[in-house]
């Protein structure tokens, strides 16, 4: 891991304090008090949260900590969909809107009440059963951001199948690797995704991706193109809605053990193969429910929009499970921030009366660039709380978001967390003073810290590694089929979970997250492994060796730059650069495409042959490469 970095200059004394009414009405009224209560009795704290939900059988023990393995709500029996659906259908929320979906075209809208969503989930769950899907089976979901994606996820959870959602922007190889690693029995997809007025053929990608994946028995296809319906290969493929025909609108929830896996979600790692992060049922449910209520301060009257795709952890935790457990009204948008024009998000906020809006710094910086005239065309007065996630929210972007969108009225929760943490871990709770540039403090329930390599807390103002000192309910339980990789999270720095991020603790105890300490690149909030892009490049016939670095970018946070050594017989050309970029696009997907490729004769390596990306990066940025004593020659 990288050791030292320059601490960015920020005005530490600058803060914004929201109107006191926020604090008075919040679920967590007094952050300090709540935090102290948690510290005094961590198990009691989490038990109080868990008791707000419904269980088929209560736990015998809140937590069992067998370093580095944790169990939460030991012995309890439950089904998360019972808390997302049945619980609400049985009370005043039965006819409440659970989900509003918006498409790109004018007038494209679908509304599902809790009752309707409940029926659709049960029907699809019964459909999956017809295909022979049972508790513990893995189901891969590769779909656009449509209600059916959420229905598919919940239907899996209903019957105890483990879903592995793969973001619809991934390419053939990325999908194939994920299907194979999870040994998925069924893949659920759609004919197309729609983006900026164009259709993206998802099913064609699935057809290629299942070729070398013998575990796959069936592919379920949602047909969206009514005029040119996609043809199904009947031996292998079945239509999404055909599967739901003639089945009951009731499906008894599978009784799950607290520690039964709920889902696997792949995230980039330091090798070419992604890590299957495993989340289990009870702890994940309690963690996401608690944070949805207390970080977003979600109320029954809120209309909540998280712009993330369900294919990422943000979508899992804060589009699907957290808000639905809390009985919220969730907006789902298969939309992009700049299509058909940069007012598309603001139009939705006005029309639906959104009160809580959760998005990514990349989008905020794009909005800043196009100017305030776009949000100013719309009435944003319904907004109550703003949120940010995925990468550092730089002070300039904070100020703009706060003033241009929140009209200096709405608190911003800049939430730091990860696929691995399952839930939000660090933020500035609603009502507390907000310091631009700093995400905030550990939320009650979490003990985050910034430490040196030995685990000792660093002095205020000094940089170090971001760690978590205590187990928390929604923590990853393992890396699928790779306990060794899991243990690495806990033994890199003794006694704590190493997040892999570099951070600074300010003198007010607020944490500023700087970026990754390892070979992951956060591009527009998406986690990309250098090794994944490198192996994609090397799989091209012209490439002998490749090294990839993240290059700071004012809009996207980082962009990808690749250094490539060609095989004998190939010569550098712009055409080849374009071919290589296209090759990465087809292999991994558009999100992993390098924005720059440079051809090299030689790459900087250690004497043992490891590529020193740090040296490439320093050269690229014109900075000191640090210790290069291990550099070959
Ligand atoms: O580097 C941190 C960055 O995103 C990483 C986690 O990525 P992923 O697992 O894809 O989950 C993203 C959504 C939770 C972290 O290790 N990150 C996430 N949120 C923030 C952040 N960096 C700075 N500030 C944040 N608020």
């Amino acid at each position: 891991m990288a050791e030292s970095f320059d601490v960015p200059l920020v005005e530490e004394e600058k803060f914004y304090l929201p109107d006191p009414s926020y604090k008075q009405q919040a679920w967590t009224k007094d952050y300090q008090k709540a935090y102290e209560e948690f510290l005094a009795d961590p198990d009691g704290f989490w038990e109080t949260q868990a008791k707000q939900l419904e269980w088929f059988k209560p736990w015998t023990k809140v937590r069992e900590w067998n370093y580095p393995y944790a169990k939460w709500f030991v012995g309890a029996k439950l089904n998360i969909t019972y808390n997302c659906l049945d619980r609400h259908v049985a009370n005043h929320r039965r006819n409440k809107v659970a989900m509003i979906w918006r498409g790109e075209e004018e007038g494209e809208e679908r509304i599902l009440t809790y009752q309707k969503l409940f029926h659709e989930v049960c029907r699809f769950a019964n459909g999956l059963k017809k295909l022979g899907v049972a508790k513990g089976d893995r189901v891969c979901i590769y779909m656009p951001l449509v209600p059916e994606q959420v229905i598919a996820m919940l239907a899996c959870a209903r019957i105890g199948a483990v879903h592995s959602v793969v973001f619809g922007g991934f390419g053939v190889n990325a999908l194939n690797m994920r299907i194979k690693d999870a040994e998925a029995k069924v893949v659920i997809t759609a004919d197309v995704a729609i983006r900026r007025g164009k259709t993206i053929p998802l099913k064609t990608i699935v057809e290629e991706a299942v070729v070398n994946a013998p575990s796959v028995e069936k592919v379920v296809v949602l047909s969206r193109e009514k005029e040119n319906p996609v043809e199904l290969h009947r031996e292998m493929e079945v239509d999404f809605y055909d599967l739901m025909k003639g089945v009951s609108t009731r499906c008894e929830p599978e009784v799950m053990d607290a520690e039964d896996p709920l889902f696997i979600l792949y995230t980039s790692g330091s090798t070419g193969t992604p890590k299957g992060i495993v989340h289990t049922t009870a702890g994940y449910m309690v963690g996401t429910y608690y944070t949805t209520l207390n970080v977003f301060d979600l109320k029954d009257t809120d209309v909540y929009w998280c712009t993330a795709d369900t294919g990422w952890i943000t979508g899992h935790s804060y589009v699907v499970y957290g808000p639905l457990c809390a009985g919220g009204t969730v907006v789902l948008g298969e939309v992009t921030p700049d299509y058909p024009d940069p007012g598309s998000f603001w139009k939705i906020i006005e029309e639906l009366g959104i009160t809580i809006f959760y998005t990514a710094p990349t989008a905020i910086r794009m909005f800043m660039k196009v100017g305030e005239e776009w949000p100013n065309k719309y009435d944003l007065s319904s907004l109550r709380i703003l949120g940010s996630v995925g990468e550092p929210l730089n002070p300039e972007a904070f100020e703009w978001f706060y003033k241009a969108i929140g009209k200096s009225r709405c608190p911003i929760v800049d939430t730091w967390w990860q696929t691995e943490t399952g839930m939000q871990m660090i933020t500035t709770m609603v009502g507390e003073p907000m310091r631009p540039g700093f995400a905030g403090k550990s939320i009650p329930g979490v003990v985050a810290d910034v430490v040196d390599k030995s685990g000792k807390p660093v002095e205020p103002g000094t940089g170090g590694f971001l760690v978590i000192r205590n187990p928390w309910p929604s923590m990853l339980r393992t890396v699928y089929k790779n306990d060794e990789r899991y243990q690495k999270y806990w033994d890199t720095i003794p006694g704590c979970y190493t997040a892999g991020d570099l951070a600074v603790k300010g003198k007010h105890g607020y944490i500023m997250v700087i970026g990754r300490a390892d070979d992951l690149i956060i591009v527009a909030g998406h986690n990309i492994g250098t090794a994944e892009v490198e192996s994609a490049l090397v799989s091209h016939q012209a490439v002998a060796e490749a090294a990839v670095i993240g290059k700071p970018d004012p809009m996207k946070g980082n962009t990808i730059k690749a250094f490539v050594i060609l095989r004998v017989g190939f010569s550098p050309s712009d055409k080849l650069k374009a071919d290589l970029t296209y090759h990465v696009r087809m292999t991994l997907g558009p999100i992993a495409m390098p924005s720059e490729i440079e051809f090299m004769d030689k790459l900087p390596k250690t004497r043992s042959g490891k590529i020193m990306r740090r040296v490439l990066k320093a050269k690229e940025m014109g900075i000191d490469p640090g210790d290069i004593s291990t550099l070959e020659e």
Side-chain angles (χ1 to χ4, degrees):
M1 293 200 294
E3 277 165 68
S4 61
F5 57 92
D6 292 329
V7 174
L9 281 176
V10 293
E11 286 180 65
E12 269 208 73
E13 297 312 327
K14 184 167 191 180
F15 68 89
Y16 292 103
L17 198 59
D19 190 84
S21 60
Y22 273 102
K23 217 169 171 159
Q24 287 152 12
Q25 292 162 12
W27 290 117
T28 299
K29 293 188 173 46
D30 186 337
Y31 164 78
Q32 200 53 37
K33 187 164 158 261
Y35 201 83
E36 280 159 19
E37 277 169 12
F38 151 68
L39 279 186
D41 179 11
D43 287 3
F45 174 87
W46 283 113
E47 186 158 44
T48 306
Q49 315 308 328
K51 280 186 175 160
Q52 297 173 27
L53 292 158
E54 295 200 23
W55 304 79
F56 302 147
K57 187 175 162 242
W59 48 92
T60 50
K61 206 171 167 194
V62 173
R63 144 180 89 154
E64 208 172 272
W65 182 220
N66 202 347
Y67 192 92
Y69 292 96
K71 285 186 180 158
W72 283 85
F73 307 105
V74 182
K77 304 285 175 199
L78 74 155
N79 187 295
I80 194 167
T81 70
Y82 192 89
N83 281 291
C84 290
L85 301 167
D86 308 54
R87 194 165 78 92
H88 309 311
V89 170
N91 69 21
H92 63 282
R93 296 199 185 104
R94 168 199 272 258
N95 289 319
K96 181 176 174 176
V97 173
M99 207 191 295
I100 310 175
W101 173 86
R102 277 294 182 101
E104 281 182 347
E105 296 300 319
E106 188 64 37
E108 265 192 319
E109 181 176 273
R110 289 168 63 191
I111 295 179
L112 284 90
T113 60
Y114 270 97
Q115 170 79 24
K116 175 81 177 163
L117 182 62
F118 173 64
H119 280 169
E120 299 291 270
V121 169
C122 286
R123 287 171 62 210
F124 195 67
N126 284 326
L128 287 177
K129 279 188 182 170
K130 278 200 294 189
L131 294 183
V133 179
K135 183 175 176 181
D137 286 342
R138 273 85 54 218
V139 173
C140 173
I141 301 175
Y142 180 69
M143 293 184 88
L145 189 50
V146 288
E148 285 83 355
Q149 188 187 36
V150 179
I151 291 167
M153 290 166 76
L154 293 169
C156 287
R158 187 79 177 171
I159 61 173
V162 178
H163 59 69
S164 157
V165 182
V166 178
F167 173 58
F170 276 118
V172 174
N173 259 39
L175 177 61
N176 172 264
M177 265 197 272
R178 286 160 175 77
I179 293 175
K180 280 206 304 216
D181 189 75
E183 295 165 283
K185 190 168 179 177
V186 167
V187 179
I188 307 171
T189 189
D191 49 359
V192 293
I194 296 161
R195 198 174 160 81
R196 294 201 170 88
K198 293 202 182 88
T199 54
I200 300 152
L202 294 190
K203 180 173 173 279
T204 322
I205 295 173
V206 172
E207 280 168 13
E208 276 188 64
V210 298
V211 169
N212 279 315
S215 62
V216 179
E217 292 174 12
K218 286 281 176 207
V219 176
V220 182
V221 184
L222 173 73
S223 302
R224 307 179 75 194
E225 299 245 77
K226 298 298 169 216
E227 279 170 19
N228 282 314
V230 68
E231 208 171 311
L232 298 186
H233 308 295
R234 294 287 167 186
E235 8 9 289
M236 177 87 165
E237 297 171 351
V238 2
D239 180 82
F240 193 98
Y241 280 101
D242 279 354
L243 200 59
M244 289 163 82
K245 277 189 191 143
V247 297
S248 166
T249 53
R250 294 263 150 196
C251 171
E252 284 308 308
E254 185 73 33
V255 175
M256 304 294 283
D257 184 78
E259 286 298 328
D260 276 336
L262 175 64
F263 65 84
I264 303 171
L265 185 59
Y266 286 87
T267 187
S268 296
S270 52
T271 66
T273 34
K275 298 175 284 189
I277 303 299
V278 177
H279 282 287
T280 56
T281 308
Y284 177 80
M285 175 178 78
V286 174
T288 53
Y289 166 79
Y290 158 73
T291 44
T292 301
L293 282 185
N294 291 276
V295 172
F296 291 129
D297 195 36
L298 186 84
K299 301 284 174 15
D300 238 336
T301 45
D302 277 312
V303 181
Y304 161 85
W305 186 20
C306 163
T307 64
D309 192 281
T310 323
W312 307 111
I313 191 68
T314 307
H316 281 59
S317 301
Y318 300 111
V319 175
V320 184
Y321 290 111
L324 294 180
C325 271
T329 294
V330 180
V331 174
L332 214 65
E334 195 186 3
V335 291
T336 25
D338 56 355
Y339 181 88
D341 61 49
S344 69
F345 277 17
W346 318 127
K347 184 166 181 278
I348 292 180
I349 292 178
E350 174 181 298
E351 288 179 0
L352 300 181
I354 308 270
T355 56
I356 304 176
F357 177 59
Y358 192 34
T359 195
T362 298
I364 299 168
R365 290 191 292 261
M366 190 282 282
F367 293 132
M368 267 172 89
K369 197 173 127 194
V370 295
E372 256 176 78
E373 74 231 47
W374 287 101
N376 286 348
K377 286 185 197 186
Y378 298 91
D379 175 7
L380 304 181
S381 60
S382 59
L383 287 172
R384 200 168 76 76
I385 288 162
L386 303 174
S388 168
V389 63
E391 51 184 317
L393 181 63
N394 49 304
E396 301 73 28
F398 178 100
E399 299 276 349
W400 191 86
F401 201 29
Y402 186 67
K403 290 174 187 152
I405 306 305
K407 314 292 179 199
S408 304
R409 192 174 46 77
C410 305
I412 296 179
V413 286
D414 172 4
T415 59
W416 176 89
W417 59 294
Q418 307 178 299
T419 304
E420 291 88 337
T421 69
M423 68 174 203
Q424 297 155 336
M425 305 289 278
I426 298 173
T427 196
T428 302
M429 302 276 283
V430 168
E432 291 299 306
M434 297 167 278
R435 299 181 187 275
F438 292 87
K441 298 182 179 177
S442 309
I443 64 165
V446 171
V447 187
D449 206 350
V450 183
V451 302
D452 65 16
K453 259 186 176 166
S454 69
K456 212 172 97 233
V458 295
E459 293 295 318
T462 333
F465 302 108
L466 184 57
V467 298
I468 312 293
R469 291 200 180 278
N470 265 14
W472 62 102
S474 65
M475 60 189 259
L476 76 162
R477 295 303 194 264
T478 192
V479 173
Y480 193 59
K481 298 191 290 197
N482 195 346
D483 280 345
E484 208 179 297
R485 180 61 195 81
Y486 170 74
Q487 285 159 12
K488 234 177 119 182
Y489 284 104
W490 291 92
D491 58 22
T492 304
I493 293 172
C496 29
Y497 167 87
T498 304
D501 280 324
L502 297 168
V504 181
K505 203 176 201 178
K507 53 178 176 245
H508 301 284
Y510 280 50
I511 293 173
M512 178 197 303
V513 183
I514 309 288
R516 297 295 307 176
D518 55 15
D519 288 336
L520 294 189
I521 312 173
I522 312 270
V523 184
H526 303 315
N527 225 322
I528 317 263
T530 51
E532 276 174 289
V533 185
E534 287 161 6
S535 18
L537 283 165
V538 173
S539 72
H540 188 282
Q541 54 168 351
V543 178
E545 265 190 291
V548 161
I549 60 162
K551 206 172 151 178
D553 179 83
M555 291 287 281
K556 294 183 170 180
N558 291 285
T559 55
I560 298 175
K561 172 154 187 184
F563 299 87
V564 167
I565 300 183
L566 293 175
R567 281 182 193 278
V568 180
F570 292 89
S571 7
S573 70
D574 285 344
K575 166 79 174 61
L576 186 54
K577 277 187 192 172
D579 284 355
L580 293 179
T581 311
Y582 183 72
H583 178 72
V584 175
R585 184 190 176 103
M586 294 317 283
T587 315
L588 286 176
I591 51 166
M593 264 167 22
S595 352
E596 249 182 280
I597 295 181
E598 188 175 325
F599 295 111
M600 311 271 281
D601 296 326
K602 213 169 169 196
L603 290 170
K605 287 185 185 166
T606 60
R607 270 171 232 126
S608 58
K610 248 183 101 183
I611 296 173
M612 292 182 83
R613 297 186 190 86
R614 177 164 61 82
V615 174
L616 286 169
K617 188 159 178 168
K619 186 173 155 268
E620 186 66 31
M621 294 168 60
I623 55 171
D624 175 20
D627 177 14
I628 49 166
S629 58
T630 54
L631 191 67
E632 189 188 44
E633 295 167 38

